[in-house]
Amino acid sequence: MRVAALSDFLLQRIDRSCGKPVNRQLYQVIREAILTHVMPVGLQLPSSRDLARELSIARNTVTYAYEQLMAEGYLETRAGAGTFVADTVPDQIPEVAASNSLRPMQAGSLGLSERGAQLVKHAGAYKFQWGAFMPGVPDVTAFPNKVWSRLQNKYWRRSRSELLTYGHGGGHAPLREAIAEYLRVARSVNCSAEQVIVTSGIHQSIDLASKLLADVGDRAWVEDPCYWGTRNVLTSLNLKPVPIAVDAEGISPRNSDLRHPPRFIFVTPSHQYPLGQVMSLSRRRMLLEYADMHNVWIMEDDYDSEFRYASRPLASLQGMDTHDRVLYFGSFSKTLFPGLRVGFVVVPLALADAFATGLSDLYRCGQLFTQAVLADFMVEGHFASHIRRMRVLYAERQQLLREAISRNFGDALAISGDDAGLHLALLLPERCDDAAVCRQAQEQGIIVRPLSGYYMKPSRAKPGLILGYACVPSEMVGPTFDRLAGIIRRHL
Amino acid sequence: MRVAALSDFLLQRIDRSCGKPVNRQLYQVIREAILTHVMPVGLQLPSSRDLARELSIARNTVTYAYEQLMAEGYLETRAGAGTFVADTVPDQIPEVAASNSLRPMQAGSLGLSERGAQLVKHAGAYKFQWGAFMPGVPDVTAFPNKVWSRLQNKYWRRSRSELLTYGHGGGHAPLREAIAEYLRVARSVNCSAEQVIVTSGIHQSIDLASKLLADVGDRAWVEDPCYWGTRNVLTSLNLKPVPIAVDAEGISPRNSDLRHPPRFIFVTPSHQYPLGQVMSLSRRRMLLEYADMHNVWIMEDDYDSEFRYASRPLASLQGMDTHDRVLYFGSFSKTLFPGLRVGFVVVPLALADAFATGLSDLYRCGQLFTQAVLADFMVEGHFASHIRRMRVLYAERQQLLREAISRNFGDALAISGDDAGLHLALLLPERCDDAAVCRQAQEQGIIVRPLSGYYMKPSRAKPGLILGYACVPSEMVGPTFDRLAGIIRRHL
């Protein structure tokens, strides 16, 4: 390639009006020409002076491109001879026998793994995370921003650098203390601060526990219906979620289930998700006895136990456990705000060290700053008073929603769930297409999720609507439900 | 059990001086007595008035305990008859045939899974995360707290509630834009904002990619030596890290390796971790060609590429890839501060949707507030200027460390790694026990990590010390290394 031919080639590919510096363009065009063998190994390049003249650009521009290409190994200089395309063509790569080859890429599969394809297919997270009637989201507009901001600024002013680096162990010690203290008093959890492992939420808590306590192929009982996140995290780790029916007393394994002890039992004893019933005492005792007998771990998800409106809160299952078989999962997503991303798992004392080690190693934790602010927020009493205020607010909104349901449907549609939590499950008649109701509602800007989607076993799936009321302004609860009722009626 | 016997039993177990409310104590003692069958099903309890008198406590105290026990199902009232222990003893649980039983708990195993036990055994995270010569930690005291705090307060004042709830998709859009823009200019990464998936750091990026693109048992090439976190995250997901030797040009697979294409190839082309060499151009081309030929994913960890002190930064491997086989991993842990917990992975466009979905579903993201502040920090130019300042500071510290090494050892000990990054690897003579050096250094308050610990294959392991200088105040670099040199000499 002569200087003139090369400069023609380059001129055609450089666009002075595109806003990108010409030296970068020159570098990229030459690089691509070398990678695609348009400029072969050993080709001599014109001097920077000659090329600059041919291209009518500053010599500096050419020098910049040449130097970058030399630094990266595309060009080399030979003393007294000039600049050449370097020999960087890789050696012949050995052929691979067919039997050693990877599984072939299937058309449209994008190269996802089996578990990856399953995950994307059964994704449960929702695009909308706010508004009537999004379940599981608290009223973040009622969060005391000013208090939080004040505590936050206190730490940033002091500039405590040990809070800016990686965490090690189970989390920021003062936060672990504050959580343990709160759980002992409010939830009758038996624990010391050492047993509290601070995570980024229930998903990380499940991931950690599954990696430390289960191996590929292990089975985990989940309530059917249950939270989609639990089964998706388990599946992504190649555990097998086994759906167990729930009745009025909570999870209800049959004898045929009991004969095959799983590795884990995931339950929501305080407030079954999403149906809302409280697990009976005899069912609790049965589970504890069974877990002790068969070395099973019980995973207690106490996701919204802070919000009971008429009756008093029940003690945790963990607090009844005398054989260290229960891991207790909680988070601040419902009590403060989801975006905070702070949760925790309380583990038996014998496992505390392993969990602290696993946490540091698997997730390389940090956010100690946020943990320090949260600890102060709890110790200064803001957490307790925020929960008290929210309890009043959500009780009012649940009441407004119950009234709206009753105004529209009388007793024709049943509500599952008691006076607790952030959502109600409105049951629809058999054969009603709850997914279709939700789609039509969404077209009108109302977010509802179909109950049937929470079931793993299709034969058990009941139609219904999960109605989150916590993040709906009180004056909107009734009017929005009235609009939704119009859509529901078309499907009854 | 008569009233008197019961009250004796209770009196022995209640401690008025322990500071715990008597009503809680009473509740717990009765509960435990029921769970352990000391108080059998059907037992009638004395009236609250009688029991209060026997125990010499307020009647309210007894009423509180009784009501809680009733709410939880331990006690029941029968109309006109009084209060009784409820029947909550579980039904007989079927015996499990031995063959169905779980693997037995081994003594001392704590019930950890196989992968859990491996993880704890090979844990790499370190208790100390700050001070001379902790590698991989930037100088967080130089972080512009005031600027960050001001940006943060702007958002909290505006109280944008959509930033407080769960995230959905690949992260906060303005941050994805800012990262894409930065990577295009600074690292020659070919990407649009859509391809940038915001994670909580490299560990989460690897976890996500492994779950989406690999299945149990798939092999992943890792450089030997490499970052401990990469292999631990892979192992926790039941992938098989295959250690591949590195030479002066970077990862160096033999023909026998090449004949068995893995699923992933993890590399650090800009600055091999921890040895520091730059991957040669011909090695880069070989990897890209090989990956294209065998449908292998290349995972490019560009962990500290921002810090090159004399030579100019090299383009990323991703930017050379014309077949969409490279995933590019980065984070803000080294450029801003580790506790921030924001990282990212740039994926081929065809995978962008799957990764955004997987991220939402697996980790239930949030921290959009932090992401918004970080986006402003970048757009307003604070990120670029902070990097420029840190580059000058770290260059000075590396120089001070090189001088201290040369002052103490002349040319007797070689340094691996060029003028880049946050650490140097000081090579020790064969058979020198680098772990012993590190232990003794730690006793004197100096943190160093042994190079040999970064190798997977014991036969390859070279002794040496990984010396992080970035987080060491400049005036301390020399004096601290002089103390360390005293310890090293004893082992030469």
Side-chain angles (χ1 to χ4, degrees):
Chain A
M1 208 183 251
R2 305 278 301 270
V3 175
L6 179 62
S7 59
D8 278 355
F9 174 83
L10 295 173
L11 273 172
Q12 285 161 18
R13 284 161 181 79
I14 287 173
D15 176 5
R16 278 161 222 253
S17 63
C18 75
K20 211 165 160 183
V22 174
N23 58 17
R24 287 299 291 173
Q25 291 189 51
L26 187 59
Y27 154 79
Q28 283 174 343
V29 172
I30 297 178
R31 188 177 74 156
E32 207 188 308
I34 295 173
L35 288 173
T36 53
H37 308 282
V38 171
M39 290 172 67
V41 174
L43 178 78
Q44 179 166 17
L45 275 82
S47 72
S48 55
R49 187 195 306 264
D50 287 353
L51 188 60
R53 199 174 40 225
E54 285 285 327
L55 299 180
S56 310
I57 56 179
R59 189 175 168 192
N60 261 354
T61 304
V62 179
T63 317
Y64 171 92
Y66 275 19
E67 281 178 2
Q68 183 69 33
L69 290 162
M70 262 177 310
E72 299 194 349
Y74 292 92
L75 301 181
E76 60 188 6
T77 51
R78 295 181 202 153
T83 306
F84 298 83
V85 174
D87 183 2
T88 60
V89 177
D91 296 337
Q92 189 64 35
I93 298 168
E95 286 297 319
V96 173
S99 63
N100 287 330
S101 221
L102 270 193
R103 50 186 170 282
M105 299 265 280
Q106 278 156 31
S109 78
L110 305 173
L112 293 183
S113 61
E114 265 177 58
R115 60 183 171 194
Q118 282 296 313
L119 184 72
V120 170
K121 189 173 159 199
H122 294 113
Y126 213 52
K127 193 173 159 191
F128 305 101
Q129 294 296 334
W130 185 249
F133 292 99
M134 182 65 204
V137 176
D139 189 348
V140 297
T141 65
F143 183 72
N145 286 342
K146 276 189 192 152
V147 175
W148 187 264
S149 201
R150 176 173 59 76
L151 295 173
Q152 203 164 241
N153 285 332
K154 196 180 76 182
Y155 277 100
W156 281 102
R157 263 196 311 277
R158 278 198 230 144
S159 175
R160 293 180 48 190
S161 48
E162 76 276 19
L163 297 178
L164 291 186
T165 184
Y166 293 110
H168 187 76
H172 189 55
L175 180 60
R176 299 169 78 187
E177 281 291 354
I179 293 173
E181 174 66 22
Y182 165 71
L183 293 178
R184 281 191 298 258
V185 173
R187 308 293 307 124
S188 300
V189 170
N190 274 324
C191 69
S192 62
E194 209 185 333
Q195 292 170 258
V196 177
I197 307 295
V198 181
T199 66
S200 66
I202 178 92
H203 283 230
Q204 191 175 77
S205 300
I206 296 175
D207 192 82
L208 177 61
S210 299
K211 286 172 176 167
L212 286 175
L213 300 177
D215 281 306
V216 166
D218 279 349
R219 285 168 315 114
W221 287 359
V222 295
E223 297 168 323
D224 198 24
C226 75
Y227 172 52
W228 56 266
T230 304
R231 50 180 211 240
N232 285 2
V233 173
L234 293 171
T235 308
S236 81
L237 294 164
N238 298 83
L239 303 202
K240 289 203 170 62
V242 179
I244 305 287
V246 293
D247 61 19
E249 295 189 66
I251 194 168
S252 176
R254 292 159 309 169
N255 277 341
S256 55
D257 298 319
L258 291 166
R259 256 177 248 118
H260 302 277
R263 189 72 171 157
F264 296 148
I265 302 177
F266 280 88
V267 282
T268 48
S270 299
H271 192 221
Q272 203 279 331
Y273 191 85
L275 291 173
Q277 61 272 45
V278 177
M279 190 184 292
S280 73
L281 188 55
S282 72
R283 201 59 62 78
R284 287 170 192 241
R285 295 182 73 169
M286 185 278 281
L287 280 186
L288 290 171
E289 219 171 276
Y290 181 75
D292 178 40
M293 211 185 274
H294 299 294
N295 284 332
V296 173
W297 300 107
I298 298 180
M299 308 306 199
E300 175 178 22
D301 180 3
D302 211 29
Y303 66 105
D304 68 1
S305 58
E306 289 80 3
F307 299 113
R308 298 197 73 80
Y309 308 125
S311 56
R312 65 176 77 205
L314 303 183
S316 63
L317 188 61
Q318 195 269 7
M320 291 173 62
D321 172 27
T322 50
H323 295 97
D324 284 350
R325 302 308 309 172
V326 178
L327 281 76
Y328 176 94
F329 296 79
S331 95
F332 293 94
S333 296
K334 315 289 182 235
T335 47
L336 298 179
F337 58 96
L340 181 62
R341 298 287 75 215
V342 180
F344 49 86
V345 50
V346 179
V347 303
L349 192 57
L351 291 178
D353 278 351
F355 270 69
T357 301
L359 187 79
S360 309
D361 251 64
L362 287 174
Y363 315 107
R364 231 27 197 130
C365 306
Q367 293 279 358
L368 296 181
F369 233 87
T370 305
Q371 294 186 21
V373 172
L374 179 54
D376 282 0
F377 191 84
M378 294 181 82
V379 170
E380 292 186 8
H382 307 296
F383 180 66
S385 72
H386 182 60
I387 289 182
R388 278 195 301 274
R389 271 186 297 122
M390 292 303 99
R391 205 179 277 139
V392 173
L393 188 67
Y394 299 157
E396 174 190 283
R397 291 176 182 175
Q398 190 189 80
Q399 190 51 39
L400 289 168
L401 180 57
R402 284 182 184 273
E403 284 165 17
I405 292 171
S406 148
R407 184 170 64 239
N408 279 280
F409 298 106
D411 291 336
L413 299 182
I415 295 170
S416 177
D418 59 355
D419 58 329
L422 308 181
H423 73 269
L424 290 175
L426 180 66
L427 305 180
L428 297 176
E430 296 285 334
R431 294 210 190 76
C432 181
D433 184 351
D434 56 358
V437 175
C438 294
R439 274 195 303 277
Q440 285 182 21
Q442 197 180 308
E443 283 161 18
Q444 301 196 20
I446 305 172
I447 306 161
V448 250
R449 303 199 73 174
L451 174 60
S452 61
Y454 291 79
Y455 286 87
M456 282 185 75
K457 215 169 170 173
S459 62
R460 270 188 205 128
K462 285 182 188 158
L465 303 175
I466 307 299
L467 301 169
Y469 46 78
C471 68
V472 189
S474 301
E475 68 278 12
M476 294 301 296
V477 174
T480 314
F481 187 81
D482 291 342
R483 284 170 52 218
L484 178 61
I487 300 167
I488 296 172
R489 267 185 216 103
R490 279 183 251 152
H491 290 268
L492 289 183
Chain B
M1 207 183 250
R2 304 277 301 271
V3 176
L6 180 63
S7 59
D8 278 355
F9 174 84
L10 295 173
L11 272 172
Q12 285 162 18
R13 284 160 180 81
I14 288 172
D15 176 5
R16 278 161 223 253
S17 63
C18 75
K20 210 165 161 184
V22 174
N23 58 18
R24 288 298 290 172
Q25 291 190 51
L26 187 59
Y27 153 79
Q28 283 174 343
V29 172
I30 296 177
R31 189 177 73 155
E32 207 188 308
I34 294 172
L35 288 173
T36 53
H37 308 282
V38 171
M39 291 173 65
V41 174
L43 177 78
Q44 180 167 17
L45 274 82
S47 71
S48 57
R49 185 194 306 265
D50 287 353
L51 187 62
R53 200 175 41 226
E54 284 285 326
L55 300 180
S56 311
I57 56 180
R59 189 174 167 192
N60 261 354
T61 304
V62 179
T63 315
Y64 171 92
Y66 276 20
E67 280 177 4
Q68 183 69 32
L69 289 161
M70 259 174 316
E72 299 194 349
Y74 291 92
L75 301 181
E76 60 187 6
T77 50
R78 294 180 203 154
T83 305
F84 297 84
V85 173
D87 183 0
T88 61
V89 178
D91 296 337
Q92 189 64 35
I93 299 167
E95 286 296 320
V96 174
S99 64
N100 287 329
S101 219
L102 269 194
R103 51 187 171 280
M105 299 264 280
Q106 278 156 33
S109 79
L110 305 173
L112 293 183
S113 60
E114 264 176 58
R115 61 183 170 195
Q118 282 297 313
L119 183 73
V120 170
K121 189 174 159 198
H122 294 113
Y126 213 52
K127 192 172 157 192
F128 306 101
Q129 294 297 333
W130 184 249
F133 291 100
M134 182 66 204
V137 177
D139 189 347
V140 297
T141 65
F143 183 73
N145 286 343
K146 276 189 195 153
V147 175
W148 187 265
S149 201
R150 175 173 60 73
L151 294 173
Q152 203 163 241
N153 285 331
K154 195 180 77 181
Y155 278 99
W156 280 102
R157 262 197 311 277
R158 278 198 229 144
S159 176
R160 293 180 48 189
S161 47
E162 76 276 19
L163 297 177
L164 291 185
T165 185
Y166 293 110
H168 187 75
H172 188 55
L175 180 61
R176 300 169 78 187
E177 281 291 354
I179 293 173
E181 174 65 23
Y182 166 72
L183 293 177
R184 280 192 298 258
V185 173
R187 307 293 307 124
S188 301
V189 170
N190 275 323
C191 68
S192 62
E194 209 185 334
Q195 292 169 258
V196 177
I197 306 295
V198 180
T199 67
S200 67
I202 177 91
H203 283 231
Q204 190 175 76
S205 300
I206 297 176
D207 192 82
L208 177 61
S210 300
K211 285 173 178 169
L212 286 175
L213 300 177
D215 281 305
V216 166
D218 278 350
R219 284 167 316 113
W221 287 359
V222 295
E223 296 169 323
D224 198 24
C226 74
Y227 172 53
W228 55 265
T230 304
R231 47 179 213 242
N232 285 2
V233 173
L234 292 172
T235 308
S236 80
L237 294 166
N238 297 85
L239 303 202
K240 290 202 170 63
V242 179
I244 305 288
V246 292
D247 61 19
E249 295 189 66
I251 193 167
S252 176
R254 293 159 308 170
N255 278 341
S256 56
D257 297 318
L258 291 166
R259 256 177 247 118
H260 303 276
R263 189 72 171 156
F264 296 148
I265 301 177
F266 280 89
V267 281
T268 49
S270 299
H271 192 220
Q272 203 280 330
Y273 192 86
L275 291 173
Q277 61 272 45
V278 177
M279 190 184 292
S280 72
L281 188 55
S282 72
R283 202 59 62 77
R284 287 171 192 239
R285 295 182 73 169
M286 185 278 281
L287 280 187
L288 290 171
E289 219 172 276
Y290 181 75
D292 177 40
M293 212 186 272
H294 299 294
N295 284 332
V296 174
W297 299 108
I298 297 179
M299 308 305 199
E300 175 178 23
D301 180 2
D302 211 29
Y303 67 105
D304 69 1
S305 57
E306 289 80 3
F307 300 113
R308 297 197 73 81
Y309 308 125
S311 56
R312 63 177 79 204
L314 304 184
S316 63
L317 188 61
Q318 196 269 7
M320 292 174 62
D321 172 26
T322 50
H323 295 98
D324 284 350
R325 301 310 308 171
V326 178
L327 281 76
Y328 176 94
F329 295 80
S331 95
F332 293 94
S333 296
K334 314 289 181 238
T335 48
L336 298 179
F337 58 95
L340 181 62
R341 299 289 76 216
V342 180
F344 50 86
V345 50
V346 179
V347 302
L349 192 58
L351 290 177
D353 278 351
F355 270 70
T357 301
L359 186 80
S360 309
D361 251 64
L362 287 174
Y363 315 108
R364 225 40 190 124
C365 305
Q367 294 278 358
L368 296 182
F369 233 87
T370 305
Q371 294 186 20
V373 172
L374 178 53
D376 281 0
F377 191 84
M378 295 181 82
V379 170
E380 292 186 8
H382 307 297
F383 180 66
S385 72
H386 182 61
I387 288 182
R388 278 195 301 273
R389 272 186 297 122
M390 292 303 99
R391 205 180 276 139
V392 173
L393 188 68
Y394 299 157
E396 175 189 282
R397 290 176 182 175
Q398 190 190 80
Q399 191 50 38
L400 289 168
L401 180 57
R402 284 181 184 274
E403 284 165 17
I405 292 171
S406 148
R407 186 170 62 238
N408 279 280
F409 298 105
D411 291 336
L413 298 183
I415 295 171
S416 177
D418 58 356
D419 59 329
L422 308 181
H423 74 270
L424 289 175
L426 180 65
L427 304 181
L428 297 176
E430 297 285 335
R431 293 213 190 75
C432 182
D433 184 350
D434 57 358
V437 175
C438 294
R439 273 194 305 274
Q440 285 181 21
Q442 197 181 307
E443 283 161 18
Q444 300 196 23
I446 304 171
I447 306 160
V448 249
R449 305 200 72 176
L451 173 60
S452 61
Y454 290 79
Y455 286 86
M456 282 185 74
K457 214 169 170 174
S459 62
R460 270 187 206 128
K462 285 182 187 159
L465 303 176
I466 307 298
L467 301 168
Y469 45 78
C471 68
V472 189
S474 301
E475 68 278 12
M476 295 301 297
V477 174
T480 313
F481 186 81
D482 291 342
R483 284 169 51 218
L484 178 61
I487 299 168
I488 296 172
R489 268 186 215 104
R490 279 183 252 151
H491 291 267
L492 290 181

